[in-house]
Amino acid sequence: MSHIRDWDWNRGKRVISDIHQWRETYGWVEEPHASPDGESVAAIVKVDEMAFSVCENGSPWESSFDKVWFLRYGPDNRAAALVSDTAMWTVAVSGTPWENWFEFVWDTKFGRFDGHISVSAQKDFAYFAVTDDTPWENTFYTISHLKASPSGRSAAATVQTKPINEADIAAFQKGCFTVAVNGQPWTQNFLNAWEIAFDAKEEHVAAEVRLSLEDYTIVVDGIPWKRHYASVWEPVFSPTDGSVTAPVRLADGWALAQDGEIIWKNRYFQLWHHIYSIDGSRIAAIVSSKFGRWTLAIDDKPWNLTFKDLVTDPALSPDGRRAACVGKTDGKWMIAVDGTAWNDTYDMAWPPIFSPDGRNVAAKTQKNGIYRMVVNGRPIQTNYKTLWNPVFSPEGDKLLIRGIETGANDGKYTRTVLSLAEILG
Amino acid sequence: MKAPAEKSFEEKKKIHDKGIEEGAAQLTQEKVHQVVQQMLSAEGGARLKAYIETCSHCGLCSEACHYYLSNDNNPIYSPAGKVKQTIGEIVKKKGKVSVDFIKEACEISFTECNLCRRCVMYCPFGIDVAYMMLFMRRICHKLGVVPQYIQDTAHSHSATLNQMWVKEDEWIDTLQWQEEEAQDEFPDLRIPIEKEGADIFYSVIGPEPKFRAQLIYQMAVIMYASGADWTMPATPGWDNSDMCMYTGDVEMVARLKKVHFETAMRLKNKRIVMGECGHAFRSVHDVGNRFLGWKMAPLPVVHAIEFYYELLRDRKIRIKNKLSQPVTFHDPCNIVRGRGLHEMGRYVINETCKTFIEMHPNREHNFCCAAGGGVINCGPPFRNKRVTGNRVKADQLAEAKKKGAEIVIAPCHNCHGGLEDIIKHYELGMELKFLGDILYEVMEK
Ligand code: SF4
Ligand code: SF4
Ligand code: SF4
């Protein structure tokens, strides 16, 4: 496990690899992915007529496979990909495949902090999840909505525990689905179960369920809330007190509920994707308080600024005092912080990211095909053809930028550390 | 056409549908009253009342409806007649209707109206009969009385977030398999899965991976040849279709559309291009988005017709040899009456086919295929009724055939299902194709 403090936070730019050269070597090069610390860049490449591998910083993995897909870096800066050999599939981490092979694997999930990996898997038409090469003991008729715990050591998913014959609507309505945590299904079945949440200590699990064709609620550790609703969205555990909150639909609109009781007074046309600040003191959510207008509400107080098309990617500063999101109006993408949109508009904007001290916000943006990093509304004058999300140093005084440049460094993947002082002048 | 239209009335009385029968068996009179009254007060607001009060029973809408015309002008099949037998009676009786009435109203609203909205154009007051049929269906959904096969599809939507019980691994496997097949022809071709930041998010309906994977293949070739920057997701959200819209399960409609749009938003794709489907377009563009609170779709939604039009207009795709067999074109109501794509459709045909023969009536006046609105999804029990209920379509096709048309182009999956049955039943001997089939056949690859 590599800690963000141990990363190279020395100011300056380093060329890590020249992607143009990869293209000359391999011909077939898929989209590159960069490691969180920026030290590595990797892409799926074709090494032979029928053989694929992963090229990392210019060198291919030792092993090659019939097929490779879904290459991603985990938070521990190791690359993992889904690989197949003679029609069987598994996960390869830094080029080394797991010992167990399956008929299919998909939906790679990393823990947020550690390098643990879970995938959904199928073998002999039985469905289950696999965490760090260990398959669940129980298998199911289907699996979906795989979710990893914060560390990644545990996984939960929606599973089908009973078969349904073709067009057997009565069987379906009796309930054939539930949630399994590390392979253990809850005892009660539901019509449906969808988005799943873990608490911070990884001891509890909540999910959205449908109890009958019309009744929806939240289930925590297998036990449904007493109140039912016309609909619900994804539950979230409070990071501090273990309570569960979820948006619920009432007769007069959407509201936020906690352990089954309504805690926000306002009613919204829509309310979803609520998030907590790290200290649990604040909740922000995407809301529509007027039909067709979208904004962020913090603790039930919507911003005055609204967007016409959509709002996405809500963010709170670690102390919860500041909030940001991506918004779109008339086809123009924007970033808004604390109720004010940055001056510029973009063809696409990625999640705004707060510095640990909450003082600065950085986001990846795209305009006319060029990617640029923007900090507090000001673009950094380096053009990229591919860019990854920015990372602030633990003290919040530096910014790591990872991208494949255009211009003088065309095609080169670079890793740049800038001080906020030099960015903001 | 000498099809047995007379039979349909009798047949109708004999149809046994498990979903309707077993659903109704669970109902009590009280439950019916309670749910219906609650629906009337909570959701059947001013619009419903205004429509019912405004209808002057002038009958101008009758001639608009293919069911009425195909059933020898039997008034029970006229739009106003169907309203009268269903939601009109409910309003008149203030919800005090029997369980048997619900069964009958369920069958009428689900299987005798395609929600094609042709009748709206002929009503002097613009009364939207389709809206009222949908309202009736929503009552049926609330009562648990819904035809078996379409209810099963709604269950599939809720469990898998696609229409066809396609499992997550089966979806990805299909894309990879289509990519491999295509690579035999075009070694560099890719179906990019989960490509973040791609311009185009391409979505299809459940039956494509299940029964018509070659359509994904063809679109991959079209994307490849045109140099498009595109992707398809590896997660649920790939299916843009929506039978819950037709069973009246609006909560599920919202859930499905949320997943669809948010998948494209997660991948930061700029617009959604969808395959050739009419009802899915209606659901992403007109229904689900609004139910979620988006006045318009949050990302631009482009139907395949518009996309092909763009590619040909901008010369991103070049045509090698135009198709030599004469073709005719079926205007799908959801994208023609619903969105006005008829001229773009004709542009694509004229660019790709040598001889185009119009069907009559056409464009926004075209008759529905009788499959839409979820009717074909009500399954085998209602098949005959649906086919005999669209004799006028058979007449239209036969006439185009007389003028030389050998191929019917229908840029909508549902229309394909419906027209296939009609072509077979009335022994028309015409071939049925998607626009994409033709583009793929005649383009420079
Ligand atoms: S099928 Fe079409 S024309 Fe006939 S009643 Fe329904 S919406 Fe109107
Ligand atoms: S045309 Fe309009 S007013 Fe006349 S019967 Fe039909 S719905 Fe009623
Ligand atoms: S299936 Fe086709 S013609 Fe029929 S309702 Fe749908 S779009 Fe219309």
Side-chain angles (χ1 to χ4, degrees), chain B residues 114 116 278-279 330-335 367-373 412 414-415:
Chain B
N114 296 106
C116 76
H279 91 271
H330 167 76
D331 289 277
C333 38
N334 282 319
I335 50 174
F367 284 120
C368 174
C369 63
C412 165
N414 269 309
C415 303

Side-chain angles (χ1 to χ4, degrees), chain B residues 51-52 54-62 78-81 83 119-120 122-129 132:
Chain B
Y51 281 156
I52 288 178
T54 313
C55 176
S56 62
H57 304 286
C58 65
L60 286 173
C61 54
S62 302
S78 72
V83 171
C119 52
V120 187
Y122 296 86
C123 170
F125 306 108
I127 291 174
D128 188 351
V129 173
M132 287 189 277

Side-chain angles (χ1 to χ4, degrees), chain B residues 19-39:
Chain B
I20 299 179
E21 296 300 332
E22 289 176 10
Q26 317 253 332
L27 279 179
T28 60
Q29 194 92 0
E30 290 65 49
K31 170 93 179 166
V32 173
H33 293 173
Q34 177 220 324
V35 169
V36 172
Q37 271 161 354
Q38 188 248 331
M39 277 294 294

Side-chain angles (χ1 to χ4, degrees), chain A residues 31 67 106 122 127 144 167 173 192 194 208 210 214 230 232 270 273 309 313 328 349-350 366, chain B residues 142 148 155 158 167-169 176 179 183 190 196 251-252 255 258 262 268 270 292-294 298:
Chain A
E31 300 78 53
K67 199 157 181 64
W106 74 100
Q122 182 259 108
Y127 289 82
S144 60
Q173 289 178 17
N192 296 107
W194 298 288
E208 304 170 334
R210 184 160 70 145
E214 289 199 88
V232 296
Q270 192 52 265
H273 297 287
D309 299 356
D313 303 304
K328 179 173 162 245
W350 274 257
Q366 193 214 38
Chain B
K142 291 255 176 195
Q148 178 190 7
H155 289 164
S158 74
K167 294 175 182 171
E168 294 191 359
D169 54 324
Q176 294 184 338
E179 182 188 70
Q183 283 172 353
R190 249 183 94 197
E196 200 209 78
E251 290 76 18
M252 201 52 67
R255 186 167 291 274
K258 177 175 186 274
E262 288 192 336
K268 297 287 178 188
K270 296 201 179 77
L292 286 163
W294 284 309

Side-chain angles (χ1 to χ4, degrees), chain B residues 146-163:
Chain B
V146 171
Q148 178 190 7
Y149 285 91
I150 191 166
Q151 184 61 54
D152 182 60
T153 317
H155 289 164
S156 168
H157 272 305
S158 74
T160 64
L161 306 173
N162 72 69
Q163 196 187 323

Side-chain angles (χ1 to χ4, degrees), chain A residues 1-2 7 34-37 71-80 93 108-117:
Chain A
M1 177 65 211
S2 104
W7 298 359
S35 64
D37 65 3
L71 169 71
R72 294 292 185 276
Y73 274 96
D76 62 348
N77 296 305
R78 291 189 305 164
V93 184
T108 312
K109 291 279 152 68
F110 296 96
R112 257 177 288 155
F113 312 117
D114 292 320
H116 303 283
I117 298 172

